[in-house]
Amino acid sequence: MNRVYNFNPGPATLPLAVLEAAQDQLLDYQGQGMSVMEMSHRSKPYEAINAQAEARIKGLLGLGDDYRVLFLQGGASLQFTMLPMNMLPAGETADYILTGSWSEKAAEEAGRVGQTHIAATTASEHYCRIPNQDEIALSANPAYVHITTNNTIYGSQWHTLPDVGGVPLVADASSDILSRPVDMGKFALVYAGAQKNLGPSGVTIVIVRTAWLEQASKALPVFLRYSTHLGKDSLYNTPPVFAVYMVNLVLGWIESLGGLEAMAERNAQKASTIYGVIDANPGFYRNPIQPESRSLMNITFRLPTPELEQSFLSGATAQGMIGLKGHRSVGGIRASIYNAMPQMGCDALAQFMQQFVQQYG
Ligand SMILES: *Cc1c(COP(=O)(O)O)cnc(C)c1O
């Protein structure tokens, strides 16, 4: 077996222990004589997986009975639409804070459903930072305020949540969910595609404060209502059973490492390993994000020329480090180092970066 260090932004690397557990259970899940993929979603073993996955997310985030966790399909992208369809009534306004491409997309989609207001944006500065509190100008009475907690493409992250008064705060946390402790009491709804920090693609996690959903639109097609999925414990129709099963294994792995405090510590250490090399070589590596807004999940950097970036990428590939090409919209290099990326992968990348600057710097 020859596994690479996989820095892909999503689908992304999974913990080896999780893949091995899945391999071990693939042909015969707990004496059922079949895999989870082949099992009825109405069966007891699957219901147990579904319930355990919700309980684990609630446990890790310290959520009480006022929150529920949904396992939906359609990715974070469907949430861009489903959120305003449910929670943006006609005549009201939803506020969006723009910090990168995904928040732009979220706001655009909401704009197709209803009225939106951009409460803050750093677009004119190429999204090199998260806005300050005093730059946030909410509309008169917003239905909710939407943020993107980690900006996967640009490589920035909210490190202090905005103060939005009593307005329901909603987050797209696709690329940093369960990477650190969060004061979930601040959020009315958080959604995330699983394929970055939580498992394979195919399932979307939606964490909701149930009281807020009581205001949801009743005039939607049944499948698009949060209440439909809530009322059926995410088993309204056939769920992506294998993806939920994999997420459940990843959640167990996070628990086994000590929960979110431990993840935060690991992630901070990993990120500083790479930012350390960038900062030590300012004439060669350049991270475009202001230090206080740097992402611990997606580290973006440029080299002096596109040609050097190209040879950096091929040199890294030759050493078993893949997925480092920056998003096509911004170029450069991006190292995605979600929960499942081990410290050893970051050490290997940092060492390669050092060798590279010695050779070409
Ligand atoms: C990847 C990503 C998305 C898109 O997710 P899909 O599940 O592919 O729809 C949305 N938001 C953020 C922050 C992302 O990183």
Side-chain angles (χ1 to χ4, degrees):
M1 186 172 69
N2 196 12
R3 284 182 56 83
V4 292
Y5 285 123
N6 175 2
F7 293 93
N8 270 315
T13 194
L14 287 165
L16 186 58
V18 165
L19 293 172
E20 285 169 346
Q23 182 180 45
D24 196 46
Q25 298 177 327
L26 190 65
L27 301 185
D28 182 4
Y29 178 74
Q30 295 188 350
Q32 298 298 308
M34 59 182 146
S35 72
V36 174
M37 276 182 279
E38 302 162 286
M39 213 176 262
S40 167
H41 58 294
R42 310 284 175 205
S43 65
K44 284 271 172 295
Y46 184 73
E47 280 183 358
I49 291 168
N50 187 55
Q52 187 175 43
E54 175 171 16
R56 279 176 160 165
I57 291 176
K58 289 182 69 172
L60 285 165
L61 287 167
L63 296 173
D65 291 340
D66 44 344
Y67 286 86
R68 288 291 313 270
V69 182
L70 299 174
F71 300 104
L72 306 182
Q73 299 188 62
S77 298
L78 179 58
Q79 293 309 306
F80 295 166
T81 311
M82 199 168 159
L83 167 72
M85 282 180 110
N86 279 267
M87 305 311 297
L88 175 52
E92 293 192 27
T93 301
D95 285 13
Y96 280 75
I97 301 181
L98 305 188
T99 51
S101 318
W102 291 115
S103 45
E104 282 179 0
K105 282 220 170 78
E108 258 167 51
E109 285 303 300
R112 292 182 218 280
V113 174
Q115 198 167 304
T116 56
H117 163 75
I118 304 307
T121 174
T122 49
S124 65
E125 297 163 61
H126 304 287
Y127 293 120
C128 70
R129 62 184 182 88
I130 300 295
N132 300 317
Q133 182 66 37
D134 60 14
E135 296 171 291
I136 300 172
L138 300 184
S139 63
N141 185 23
Y144 59 83
V145 179
H146 180 283
I147 63 168
T148 309
T149 51
N150 183 75
N151 300 285
T152 323
I153 294 174
Y154 285 86
S156 67
Q157 190 174 21
W158 286 84
H159 294 293
T160 310
L161 292 175
D163 180 0
V164 293
V167 180
L169 183 61
V170 174
D172 174 0
S174 291
S175 50
D176 68 352
I177 189 167
L178 299 186
S179 68
R180 55 183 178 177
V182 186
D183 181 1
M184 282 295 292
K186 294 218 158 105
F187 291 103
L189 190 150
V190 172
Y191 61 89
Q195 67 273 17
K196 282 146 188 161
N197 244 325
L198 286 186
S201 58
V203 63
T204 311
I205 283 71
V206 180
I207 303 168
V208 287
R209 192 192 289 146
T210 46
W212 190 46
L213 290 194
E214 280 159 23
Q215 299 163 37
S217 167
K218 310 276 184 290
L220 295 174
V222 170
F223 195 75
L224 295 175
R225 298 179 201 170
Y226 287 124
S227 59
T228 299
H229 301 283
L230 205 63
K232 300 286 186 191
D233 299 326
S234 305
L235 298 170
Y236 169 72
N237 73 325
T238 317
V241 289
F242 199 72
V244 174
Y245 158 75
M246 289 295 290
V247 166
N248 189 39
L249 291 180
V250 171
L251 296 168
W253 173 80
I254 296 174
E255 285 178 353
S256 75
L257 290 175
L260 300 190
E261 299 280 352
M263 292 321 297
E265 211 171 295
R266 280 167 56 105
N267 289 330
Q269 179 60 43
K270 280 153 47 186
S272 80
T273 302
I274 298 168
Y275 283 122
V277 181
I278 295 173
D279 293 341
N281 299 282
F284 194 76
Y285 295 118
R286 191 175 59 81
N287 167 241
I289 304 301
Q290 293 200 355
E292 67 282 2
S293 298
R294 283 175 164 180
S295 170
L296 302 185
M297 299 277 101
N298 308 96
I299 301 181
T300 52
F301 55 94
R302 303 303 308 238
L303 273 64
T305 67
E307 291 71 30
L308 280 170
E309 290 173 345
Q310 202 47 54
S311 37
F312 182 93
L313 290 171
S314 34
T317 303
Q319 296 198 20
M321 288 173 275
I322 65 110
L324 286 161
K325 195 173 179 5
H327 191 269
R328 59 190 179 281
S329 64
V330 296
I333 314 291
R334 169 176 55 175
S336 297
I337 54 166
Y338 304 119
N339 281 349
M341 172 59 67
Q343 177 67 44
M344 268 166 66
C346 296
D347 291 342
L349 177 59
Q351 199 178 12
F352 174 70
M353 288 169 73
Q354 251 145 6
Q355 282 167 5
F356 197 85
V357 71
Q358 268 155 27
Q359 195 172 347
Y360 297 99

